[in-house]
């Protein structure tokens, strides 16, 4: 299956299977033993390979469950899709949303071609996979993708019947009515491509969720991601390296030579091809270690000694030194802040409130700063509205001030320059607002009500009050969030320091 696309399905997306398969314990055990299914936490981002996904779907099909991916797609909430649902819904009209999806399909649909055509007064949306003669398990997966696509259109226009009927490439189903019921429209099987017949009169109907500010911010996110997501043919080696690093056994040799050997290349060829894709093996290995260390030590509470052994460090002191360089603080401090954050509420995708496109750039630099900046602005703009609707005046004022700051043209939030230069953080209050949003999201009305009761205070006073009440301040929460996103440690140190030195009231 080397020529098949890299689907990168996350295990947390498959957790509803445990409910669906509760009447079939033997089948569930088979999927766990043979195809990698397992129970994971909501913030666990581990993924299955294409081979595992295909095998799992074919196993389900053999046991008389042919449309499980479509069933999973029907259970996905609006947060899924790595920001795509929010992006489409924020457009002014369905025509604009479809145009954006078509224009950016290389980012979110690299293994297929999406097209929109008008034929005889009818409007057709089609998806043609690039793979030749795909196995049945892959067709079933794409069937789920098409069901999710229909769900995306319905999120845009929830009060309308956007599509009239659909067609899928999967062969005749033993229970065709099941897929029709899941999608809520007639479905034809065995088609040459995936197809939906849309209602052309709905193209220019205003979308109820139109939000120009959010659309612009998410557009910036996707524009920046194009720097790191080349065409599918150029993505392949980079994706293979990332998958190999992710799935390597603990303690495995992750040097250039053994990785190149596993991928069927010489070390020089691997280095040269990665360089052609705009990255390097050493940078990818460093990003992998940083991400794994955060997940293991901070989120899962593994000991630094064990994590150091798994990541190839000489011992816990070496990992601690690396962690301070990565995060601007020791792993124990971040672990304690994470536990305090966890105590406020359930942590489901805590590090990405909008589930925006998440990617650690292979090379640090100005583009990385801009990428994190775009994520932060989207979180602020996209999540400010619920706070304002909840009449939380203090937090709403804070967020409005942050968004005013974010609208300033070409404002660089994270300075880029030699490490020896003094680092100046321009208006850190806007970034602490991101931490306030995280606290509000987890603590809910308790945090909002507490904030409204607070008298005017200086920055340091407010932060100390938050720590006394909730265990950590908005600065601590924001630093944890930005460390998870990969902000350089020197800039995280500057963020914490300038927050504590900043004087003056919280909101004007």
């Amino acid at each position: 299956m080397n020529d098949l696309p890299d689907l990168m399905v996350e295990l947390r997306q498959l957790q509803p299977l445990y409910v669906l398969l509760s009447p079939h314990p033997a089948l569930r055990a088979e999927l766990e033993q043979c195809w990698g299914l397992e129970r994971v936490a909501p913030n666990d981002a581990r993924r299955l390979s294409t081979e595992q996904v295909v095998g799992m779907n074919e196993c389900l099909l053999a046991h008389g469950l042919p449309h499980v991916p479509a069933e999973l797609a029907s259970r996905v909430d609006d947060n899924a899709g790595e920001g795509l649902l929010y992006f489409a819904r924020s457009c002014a009209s369905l025509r604009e949303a479809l145009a954006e999806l078509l224009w950016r399909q290389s980012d979110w649909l690299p293994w297929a071609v999406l097209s929109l055509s008008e034929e005889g007064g009818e409007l057709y949306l089609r998806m043609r996979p690039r793979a030749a003669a795909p196995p049945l398990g892959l067709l079933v997966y794409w069937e789920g993708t098409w069901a999710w696509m229909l769900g995306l259109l319905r999120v845009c226009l929830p009060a309308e019947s956007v599509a009239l009927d659909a067609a899928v490439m999967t062969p005749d189903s033993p229970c065709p009515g099941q897929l029709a019921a899941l999608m809520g429209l007639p479905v034809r099987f065995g088609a040459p491509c995936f197809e939906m017949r849309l209602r052309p009169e709905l193209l220019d109907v205003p979308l109820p969720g139109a939000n120009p500010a959010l659309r612009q911010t998410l557009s910036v996110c996707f524009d920046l991601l194009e720097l790191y997501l080349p065409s599918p043919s150029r993505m392949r080696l980079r994706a293979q390296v990332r998958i190999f690093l992710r799935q390597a056994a603990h303690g495995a040799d992750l040097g250039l030579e053994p990785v190149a050997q596993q991928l069927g290349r010489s070390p020089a060829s691997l280095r040269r091809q990665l360089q052609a894709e705009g990255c390097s093996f050493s940078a990818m290995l460093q990003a992998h270690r940083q991400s794994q260390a955060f997940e293991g030590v901070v989120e899962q509470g593994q000991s630094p000694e064990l994590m150091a052994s798994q990541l190839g460090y000489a011992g816990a002191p070496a990992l601690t030194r690396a962690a301070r360089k990565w995060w601007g603080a020791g792993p124990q401090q971040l672990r304690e802040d994470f536990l305090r954050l966890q105590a406020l509420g359930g942590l489901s995708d805590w590090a990405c409130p909008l589930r925006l496109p998440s990617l650690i750039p292979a090379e640090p630099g100005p583009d990385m700063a801009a990428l994190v900046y775009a994520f932060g602005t989207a979180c602020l703009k996209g999540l400010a509205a619920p706070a304002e609707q909840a009449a939380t005046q203090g937090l709403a004022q804070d967020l409005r001030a942050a968004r005013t700051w974010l609208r300033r043209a070409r404002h660089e939030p994270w300075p880029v320059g030699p490490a020896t230069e003094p680092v100046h953080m321009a208006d850190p209050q806007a970034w602490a607002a991101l931490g306030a949003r995280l606290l509000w999201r987890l603590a809910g009305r308790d945090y909002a009500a507490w904030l409204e009761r607070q008298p005017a205070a200086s920055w340091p006073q407010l932060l100390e009050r938050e720590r006394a009440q909730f265990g950590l301040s908005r600065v601590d929460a924001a630093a944890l969030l930005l460390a998870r996103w990969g902000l350089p440690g020197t800039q995280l140190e500057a963020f914490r320091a300038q927050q504590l030195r900043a004087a003056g009231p919280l909101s004007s």
Side-chain angles (χ1 to χ4, degrees):
M1 295 189 186
N2 292 332
D3 294 331
L4 295 182
D6 174 23
L7 302 179
M8 306 294 278
V9 174
E10 295 177 354
L11 277 166
R12 59 183 173 182
Q13 298 169 340
L14 302 179
Q15 296 309 291
L17 273 177
Y18 281 94
V19 177
L20 292 174
L21 298 179
S22 57
H24 311 280
L27 174 57
R28 183 192 64 208
E30 182 179 351
L31 295 181
E32 290 175 332
Q33 182 177 358
C34 300
W35 304 112
L37 179 67
E38 63 175 288
R39 295 184 185 272
V40 297
N43 61 338
D44 191 321
R46 283 180 294 160
R47 295 161 169 168
L48 295 181
S49 67
T50 297
E51 289 81 357
Q52 288 174 307
V53 174
V54 169
M56 186 178 298
N57 288 338
E58 292 181 353
C59 181
L60 290 165
L61 186 62
H63 284 79
L65 299 173
H67 304 299
V68 169
E71 172 73 15
L72 293 176
S74 70
R75 292 172 179 243
V76 168
D77 62 23
D78 292 358
N79 292 323
E82 309 302 340
L84 198 63
L85 281 164
Y86 287 91
F87 183 48
R89 187 176 63 182
S90 67
C91 292
S93 66
L94 190 62
R95 183 189 301 275
E96 185 178 283
L98 288 169
E100 288 284 5
L101 294 175
L102 291 168
W103 175 255
R104 301 180 184 279
Q105 61 181 287
S106 61
D107 294 343
W108 68 275
L109 197 66
W111 42 262
V113 176
L114 193 68
S115 64
L116 185 68
S117 61
E118 186 175 353
E119 302 170 11
E122 303 281 1
L123 189 65
Y124 292 94
L125 183 65
R126 295 188 174 101
M127 181 179 74
R128 302 179 187 274
R130 300 178 187 272
L136 182 57
L138 193 54
L139 290 176
V140 173
Y141 170 83
W142 288 333
E143 181 183 278
T145 301
W146 206 230
W148 183 85
M149 183 69 191
L150 176 61
L152 181 148
L153 299 178
R154 286 174 173 162
V155 166
C156 292
L157 279 173
E160 301 285 352
S161 298
V162 182
L164 299 172
D165 51 48
V168 295
M169 293 179 66
T170 39
D172 289 340
S173 169
C175 27
Q178 182 183 1
L179 184 60
L182 287 170
M183 299 183 70
L185 42 71
V187 178
R188 176 168 52 91
F189 293 88
C193 66
F194 293 88
E195 180 181 279
M196 267 188 278
R197 185 162 60 102
L198 306 180
R199 293 173 57 192
E201 68 271 17
L202 298 181
L203 281 178
D204 296 309
V205 173
L207 301 187
N211 185 329
L214 181 59
R215 178 185 179 278
Q216 175 61 28
T217 300
L218 291 176
S219 180
V220 171
C221 287
F222 284 108
D223 288 342
L224 288 165
L225 282 175
E226 289 179 2
L227 298 173
Y228 305 107
L229 296 177
S231 63
S233 61
R234 295 179 62 197
M235 283 176 57
R236 191 175 302 278
L237 179 59
R238 192 172 183 177
Q240 288 179 2
V241 172
R242 187 177 293 114
I243 292 170
F244 178 83
L245 293 175
R246 186 81 184 181
Q247 297 182 345
H250 294 321
D253 188 350
L254 298 181
L256 178 64
E257 290 190 8
V259 172
Q261 183 179 6
Q262 288 293 326
L263 297 177
R265 289 171 171 81
S266 68
S269 173
L270 179 62
R271 186 186 296 111
R272 184 171 56 253
Q273 291 182 53
L274 287 175
Q275 186 177 7
E277 294 185 15
C279 60
S280 70
F281 178 78
S282 60
M284 293 191 73
L285 181 58
Q286 181 80 340
H288 166 74
R289 285 173 166 169
Q290 181 175 346
S291 176
Q292 292 291 95
F294 195 99
E295 290 181 18
V297 177
V298 178
E299 295 184 345
Q300 299 171 12
Q302 296 183 20
S303 69
E305 292 79 7
L306 176 62
M307 207 69 226
S309 173
Q310 292 177 356
L311 296 178
Y313 285 92
L319 178 62
T320 300
R321 287 193 297 271
R324 289 187 177 278
K325 182 178 179 181
W326 292 333
W327 308 322
Q332 185 60 33
Q333 177 184 337
L334 266 69
R335 173 62 180 170
E336 291 173 357
D337 285 345
F338 179 82
L339 290 175
R340 295 186 185 104
L341 199 66
Q342 191 176 47
L344 296 178
L347 288 179
S348 173
D349 286 334
W350 71 277
C352 202
L354 285 182
R355 289 207 66 189
L356 295 175
S358 56
L359 178 71
I360 298 178
E363 297 284 0
D367 292 334
M368 180 181 179
L371 189 63
V372 175
Y373 172 64
F375 286 1
T377 57
C379 287
L380 281 171
K381 292 183 178 182
L383 294 177
E388 294 174 355
Q389 293 169 2
T392 311
Q393 185 175 2
L395 184 57
Q397 288 178 352
D398 187 20
L399 290 165
R400 278 196 291 271
R403 287 182 294 169
T404 299
W405 175 81
L406 291 166
R407 283 195 293 267
R408 296 176 186 173
R410 301 186 62 80
H411 197 85
E412 289 292 342
W414 310 119
V416 177
T420 55
E421 292 182 359
V423 180
H424 175 68
M425 186 67 59
D427 197 348
Q429 177 180 320
W431 296 101
L434 195 60
R437 281 301 306 130
L438 187 56
L439 293 176
W440 184 88
R441 179 171 175 250
L442 294 176
R445 294 292 298 175
D446 289 343
Y447 178 70
W450 176 87
L451 190 65
E452 285 188 337
R453 294 194 301 268
Q454 299 309 300
S458 67
W459 232 176
Q461 288 174 331
L462 180 71
L463 299 182
E464 287 307 315
R465 290 176 187 173
E466 285 181 334
R467 288 191 183 99
Q469 181 70 23
F470 300 101
L472 73 171
S473 72
R474 63 185 64 193
V475 174
D476 304 324
L480 192 65
L481 187 69
L482 297 171
R484 186 66 180 91
W485 281 348
L487 192 73
T490 54
Q491 295 173 11
L492 281 169
E493 284 184 322
F495 173 64
R496 290 189 180 95
Q498 291 207 19
Q499 290 285 355
L500 295 174
R501 290 200 302 267
L506 171 63
S507 56
S508 56

